[in-house]
Amino acid sequence: MGLLNRLFGRTEPREAATLYEQVVVRARAEHWYITGGVPDSVDGRFDMVAAIMAMVLLRMEEEQQAAGQLSASLAECFIDDMDGQLRQLGIGDITVGKHIGKMMGMLGGRLGAYRDGLAAGSIDAALIRNLYRGEEPAPAALAHTAESLTAFRAALIGSSIDTLRAGRLP
């Protein structure tokens, strides 16, 4: 639970809490790190959560009117989680906000990069820059990750906002 929630006594779960939990479960799947070559590190796990989040948020963009509140709630869940993760890593109260702001900027940048890559027909460059942090992965690893994320994106297109609201990912 994030600092603001602790300070102001927020006890009810956020609308997108279950959906966010499923995003994290999906991002922690072993195949990303074994077959996909995503670094199994704090940064690699953050980058994978951001990639899955980006695909879900892009789906919600398509129906912004119906999904606007859910999208905002999902972002709030991300912030709450990152706040807790930073504190577990020993980041103090004074700098947590700065780190959260940077992480939100990174998520926004990835959202744009994946949006542009999907529109152009390939997310490979966005993956190399954002998921692999500029290090060219093995061709098979990149192909696995790109194919898995684009298949996930395609499955999301067929999912209703109500399905996402219920916390179910395809």
Side-chain angles (χ1 to χ4, degrees):
M1 184 182 301
L3 175 64
L4 291 177
N5 291 339
R6 287 192 299 266
L7 287 175
F8 296 107
R10 180 182 180 89
T11 57
E12 74 279 359
R14 296 197 184 274
E15 177 185 19
T18 303
L19 178 59
Y20 183 74
E21 289 171 9
Q22 293 307 304
V23 165
V24 172
V25 166
R26 181 70 52 106
R28 288 184 176 166
E30 287 183 351
H31 73 95
W32 301 118
Y33 307 96
I34 296 171
T35 310
V38 174
D40 192 1
S41 63
V42 171
D43 287 342
R45 288 179 180 259
F46 168 83
D47 294 333
M48 202 62 240
V49 168
I52 299 295
M53 280 274 296
M55 297 301 148
V56 174
L57 290 169
L58 288 171
R59 168 62 184 98
M60 290 182 192
E61 278 183 358
E62 296 167 1
E63 295 183 53
Q64 188 58 38
Q65 191 164 356
Q69 179 59 37
L70 182 62
S71 178
S73 179
L74 186 60
E76 291 166 353
C77 290
F78 175 78
I79 291 168
D80 288 346
D81 185 32
M82 293 303 110
D83 178 273
Q85 297 298 324
L86 288 169
R87 290 174 191 287
Q88 285 183 359
L89 291 171
I91 306 294
D93 288 342
I94 295 172
T95 59
V96 163
K98 181 178 179 180
H99 286 282
I100 295 291
K102 183 177 177 184
M103 291 173 149
M104 289 304 292
M106 292 168 73
L107 177 61
R110 284 159 171 75
L111 189 61
Y114 294 134
R115 182 188 301 114
D116 293 347
L118 288 165
S122 173
I123 60 171
D124 289 3
L127 289 172
I128 292 167
R129 184 174 59 253
N130 295 297
L131 189 61
Y132 297 104
R133 303 227 174 173
E135 296 291 323
E136 187 99 20
L142 179 60
H144 171 80
T145 302
E147 290 168 9
S148 296
L149 277 174
T150 54
F152 177 58
R153 168 77 176 131
L156 280 167
I157 291 170
S159 295
S160 73
I161 297 302
D162 287 336
T163 298
L164 296 177
R165 188 172 280 113
R168 292 190 310 270
L169 291 175

